[in-house]
């Protein structure tokens, strides 16, 4: 672990959609934070971890239900400060002798909190402007406080919006301080960390040093292979591992022919020429095109590409002598075991980073140096490792590449045309200084030809659509509100500069109901 447990805050997850935000808010402020599902966080687990403080998350269950998720009662008697949020508050009250009831008016969305009846350390820095805006999302509510607690603030539908027993360092709030719509929420969370005596020692410099030591001791004299995708995660993982083991890392980059313009040359130049990392370039464009011939169904495309990728990777990996470890850019959100809405532990931990069972088949051990990090932290680590912004700030790109941006059959000609459209669109976005405001932007080549007039001639060419979205994590997204000037200028450039395209549209669908990609 990068930070000593006396500076670690444990978040016990009861299945809230926003549990991860608690950890992110605290880490943004330099406090180390780990998440554990409630069924794992028993008394022994907590004694072993010895965290500085514990936060009980929200969750969809009702503490009034017979099978509601719980933790052992003795957690509150360990002398460790505890903060309960929403379900966590109700659970704390129910377990310590208070009462919780359903059937009152539910409270969803924004609420104004009343001024506290007396100062509370948890609320330092709050109420500078009188009332304080918080974000509520609850059906049940506390109706009687547990002995020793006092109510400090209320909201229109939550008489016990902030309660505390400061002598025992037990605090509980009905609202969600971790979400964006509670503007002073981060301050409340860092107040709690200070109350617990935590030091903000979680820095990327510290993480980098510890991660390098950890990789060295795990790998010993072994050899590591790492698949590069051109994306941020695999690039940062490779750079970190290279720092730890030097030439005992070999990277493999598969050119599927489904990549954006200059992607392959960019990766080769950066890794082979700039970072001096041994790199195998697998040029397999024809193999992928052949595999995709005649395939129109999006899911079949994904399966074909996934299967070929594993085959190719395995073939090239076998040529690396003494490879014992396979590096993967697995991130913390993939590792956290999710808690199902019914309160039971969920069986599945996301496995989409696994290269299709390759580690078992080739008898390779997994090396996952980013598994403690959130996506935005990977970017910070990339900068810490000296990677340029052009790499660290890149928009995400899907594994199946341009194949899922060409509805219908994928051909070499269509790929070439789409690469050109994409390059003009991204160039326009950069010229207008919008790249970093947009989460992801790309073009889709439609399987539709339309009639146009160019000069004095009739044209009958392909149409394309442009897509640009803002998002935090790709789970929800809004279309980016380009100006009309931007859109018309971009459409003109695409039609004038690229042969075979005579119509450009802009996709304004949000996610949901749409997805970001078209397939
Ligand atoms: P959707 O289209 O599901 O995309 O809204 C959300 C994010 O995931 C990316 N994406 C993929 N990434 N393999 C990947 O590695 C895939 O099969 C895949 N499908 C979508 C998409 O680009 C967006 O960032």
């Amino acid at each position: 672990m990068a930070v000593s447990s006396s500076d670690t805050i444990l978040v016990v997850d009861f299945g809230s959609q926003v549990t991860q935000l608690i950890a992110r808010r605290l880490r943004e402020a330099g406090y180390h934070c780990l998440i554990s599902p409630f069924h794992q966080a028993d008394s022994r687990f907590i004694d072993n971890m010895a965290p500085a403080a514990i936060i009980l998350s929200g969750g969809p269950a009702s503490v009034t239900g017979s099978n509601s998720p719980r933790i052992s009662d003795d957690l509150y008697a360990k002398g460790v400060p505890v903060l309960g949020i929403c379900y966590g508050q109700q659970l704390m009250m129910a377990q310590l002798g208070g009462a919780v009831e359903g059937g009152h008016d539910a409270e969803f969305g924004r609420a104004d909190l009343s001024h506290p009846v007396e100062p509370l350390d948890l609320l330092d820095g709050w109420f500078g402007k009188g009332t304080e805006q918080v974000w509520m999302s609850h059906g049940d509510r506390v109706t009687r406080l547990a002995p020793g607690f006092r109510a400090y603030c209320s909201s229109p539908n939550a008489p016990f919006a902030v309660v505390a027993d400061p002598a025992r360092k037990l605090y509980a709030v009905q609202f969600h301080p971790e979400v964006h719509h509670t503007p002073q929420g981060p301050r409340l969370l860092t107040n709690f960390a200070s109350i617990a005596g935590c030091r903000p020692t979680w820095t990327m410099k510290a993480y980098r040093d510890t991660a390098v030591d950890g990789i060295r001791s795990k790998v010993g004299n072994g050899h590591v292979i790492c698949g590069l995708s051109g994306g941020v995660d695999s690039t940062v993982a490779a750079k970190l591992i290279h720092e730890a083991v030097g030439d005992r890392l070999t990277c493999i980059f598969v050119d599927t022919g489904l990549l954006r313009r200059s992607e392959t040359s960019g990766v080769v130049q950066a890794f082979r020429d700039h970072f001096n990392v041994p790199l195998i370039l697998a040029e397999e464009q024809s193999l992928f095109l052949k595999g995709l011939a005649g395939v129109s169904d999006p899911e079949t495309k994904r399966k074909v590409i996934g299967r070929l990728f594993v085959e190719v990777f395995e073939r090239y990996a076998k040529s690396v002598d003494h490879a014992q470890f396979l590096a993967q850019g697995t991130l913390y959100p993939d590792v956290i075991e999710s808690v199902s809405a019914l309160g039971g532990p969920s069986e599945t931990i996301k496995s989409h980073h696994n290269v299709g069972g390759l580690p078992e088949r080739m008898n390779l051990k997994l090396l996952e140096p980013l598994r403690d990090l959130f996506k935005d932290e990977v970017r910070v680590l990339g900068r810490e490792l000296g990677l340029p912004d052009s790499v660290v700030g890149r928009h995400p790109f899907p594994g199946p590449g341009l194949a899922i941006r060409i509805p219908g059959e994928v051909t070499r000609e269509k790929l070439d045309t789409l690469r050109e459209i994409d390059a003009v669109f991204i160039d326009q976005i950069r010229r207008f200084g919008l790249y970093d405001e947009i989460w992801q932007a790309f073009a889709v080549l439609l399987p539709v030809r339309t009639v146009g007039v160019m000069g004095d001639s009739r044209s009958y060419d392909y149409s394309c659509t442009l897509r640009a979205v803002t998002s935090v994590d790709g789970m929800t997204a809004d279309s980016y509100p380009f100006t009309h000037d931007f859109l018309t200028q971009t459409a003109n450039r695409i039609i004038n500069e690229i042969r075979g395209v005579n119509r450009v549209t802009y996709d304004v669908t949000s996610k949901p109901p749409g997805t970001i990609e078209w397939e």
Side-chain angles (χ1 to χ4, degrees):
M1 198 189 297
V3 175
S4 97
S5 66
S6 64
D7 286 319
T8 295
I9 297 168
L10 171 67
V11 177
V12 179
D13 181 22
F14 291 97
S16 160
Q17 298 290 320
V18 288
T19 297
Q20 288 187 23
L21 291 181
I22 303 171
R24 291 176 66 146
R25 294 287 100 86
L26 282 161
R27 286 188 183 193
E28 277 159 18
Y31 293 100
H32 187 236
C33 201
L34 293 174
I35 299 175
S36 175
F38 72 91
H39 56 87
Q40 200 179 73
D42 59 17
S43 205
R44 211 170 56 171
F45 177 90
I46 287 168
D47 290 344
N48 283 341
M49 179 189 271
I54 297 171
I55 297 179
L56 309 178
S57 86
S62 166
V63 294
T64 59
S66 53
N67 284 327
S68 56
R70 293 192 170 234
I71 33 154
S72 67
D73 293 352
D74 67 0
L75 176 130
Y76 305 103
K78 290 184 187 293
V80 180
V82 184
L83 168 66
I85 294 175
C86 197
Y87 180 85
Q89 180 201 43
Q90 294 159 10
L91 184 65
M92 189 191 285
M93 288 302 104
Q95 289 192 295
L96 292 177
V100 176
E101 286 175 16
H104 295 272
D105 285 344
E107 198 176 20
F108 290 104
R110 187 190 151 139
D112 283 326
L113 217 58
S114 66
H115 207 274
V117 292
E118 69 175 62
L120 180 67
D121 45 9
L122 187 73
L123 301 174
D124 274 357
W126 277 46
F127 297 101
K129 296 182 194 134
T131 58
E132 196 67 65
Q133 181 189 318
V134 297
W135 193 78
M136 294 280 189
S137 175
H138 63 106
D140 293 355
R141 69 186 195 195
V142 175
T143 51
R144 193 183 70 238
L145 287 179
F149 280 81
R150 164 147 206 212
Y152 287 80
C153 303
S154 60
S155 75
N157 277 319
F160 302 116
V162 179
V163 305
D165 179 349
R168 285 192 285 168
K169 296 196 176 171
L170 301 178
Y171 300 83
V173 296
Q174 180 59 77
F175 54 88
H176 287 268
E178 67 275 31
V179 303
H180 183 68
H181 296 92
T182 302
Q184 291 275 38
R187 179 73 195 262
L188 184 150
L189 292 170
T190 55
N191 284 343
F192 177 64
S194 308
I195 291 165
C198 262
R199 292 167 308 165
T201 52
W202 172 255
T203 63
M204 269 312 142
K205 168 86 180 73
Y207 183 83
R208 170 190 183 166
D209 295 345
T210 324
V212 164
D213 288 347
I215 294 166
R216 279 192 191 132
S217 68
K218 182 162 183 187
V219 171
N221 290 322
H223 202 115
V224 185
I225 48 176
C226 177
L228 291 180
S229 68
V232 183
D233 304 343
S234 61
T235 304
V236 172
K239 188 79 172 64
L240 187 66
I241 295 167
H242 188 244
E243 186 161 305
V245 302
D247 282 357
R248 282 182 290 113
L249 166 71
T250 302
C251 290
I252 300 175
F253 181 73
V254 181
D255 185 346
T256 57
L258 309 170
L259 303 171
R260 291 166 289 189
R261 194 169 81 181
S262 309
E263 193 132 42
T264 304
S265 55
V267 169
V268 172
Q269 207 174 44
F271 274 81
R272 216 182 247 167
D273 305 343
H274 191 53
F275 304 142
N276 293 319
V277 178
L279 173 71
I280 296 174
L281 172 59
E283 300 218 54
E284 298 288 349
Q285 300 92 325
S286 302
L287 182 77
F288 282 84
L289 263 183
K290 233 163 80 188
L292 287 169
V295 178
S296 298
D297 176 65
E299 280 315 298
T300 315
K301 281 183 190 173
R302 276 195 167 76
K303 287 203 179 92
V304 168
I305 295 165
R307 177 176 53 78
L308 290 177
F309 191 89
V310 169
E311 276 173 32
V312 168
F313 195 87
E314 184 168 16
R315 180 151 43 88
Y316 283 84
K318 274 185 181 153
S319 71
V320 179
D321 286 340
H322 314 302
Q324 289 149 339
F325 293 88
L326 175 71
Q328 285 184 3
T330 312
L331 303 187
Y332 197 43
D334 307 324
V335 175
I336 304 167
E337 195 179 337
S338 52
V339 175
S340 83
L342 296 175
S346 153
E347 287 300 312
T348 40
I349 300 173
K350 289 182 213 165
S351 56
H352 61 263
H353 276 287
N354 273 318
V355 190
L358 206 68
E360 299 80 26
R361 277 224 307 273
M362 291 190 67
N363 205 16
L364 293 169
K365 286 176 236 162
L366 267 185
L367 189 63
E368 298 174 311
L370 308 181
R371 58 182 284 128
D372 286 341
L373 303 183
F374 290 110
K375 183 96 183 172
D376 42 354
E377 293 175 320
V378 174
R379 293 205 161 101
V380 180
L381 177 60
R383 289 197 183 95
E384 173 69 35
L385 289 163
L387 290 169
D389 270 354
S390 56
V391 170
V392 172
R394 284 194 90 182
H395 290 172
F397 186 66
L402 301 182
I404 56 168
R405 294 175 180 174
I406 299 178
E409 190 180 1
V410 178
T411 64
R412 194 183 293 272
E413 293 68 33
K414 285 184 188 171
L415 283 164
D416 288 342
T417 305
L418 181 56
R419 261 188 278 275
E420 295 309 306
I421 302 171
D422 190 75
V424 171
F425 184 34
I426 299 298
D427 181 56
Q428 280 288 104
I429 287 174
R430 287 197 189 280
R431 281 191 198 185
F432 277 68
L434 302 175
Y435 191 85
D436 293 336
E437 274 181 43
I438 292 171
W439 198 74
Q440 194 173 14
F442 56 90
V444 178
L445 187 68
L446 302 177
V448 176
R449 287 179 178 231
T450 69
V451 173
V453 52
M454 291 180 92
D456 289 330
S457 317
R458 174 186 191 270
S459 67
Y460 185 54
D461 284 330
Y462 280 113
S463 55
C464 69
T465 198
L466 306 178
R467 180 108 168 106
V469 294
T470 54
S471 178
V472 176
D473 50 15
M475 303 299 286
T476 58
D478 280 320
S479 70
Y480 184 79
F482 288 121
T483 61
H484 199 65
D485 182 41
F486 174 91
L487 290 171
T488 48
Q489 214 189 90
T490 306
N492 277 341
R493 274 195 64 192
I494 289 169
I495 291 166
N496 285 314
E497 293 176 29
I498 300 158
R499 276 173 62 111
V501 183
N502 71 355
R503 196 172 295 265
V504 179
T505 55
Y506 184 53
D507 177 0
V508 293
T509 318
S510 61
K511 174 182 179 175
T515 52
I516 295 177
E517 303 288 346
W518 271 44
E519 293 199 325

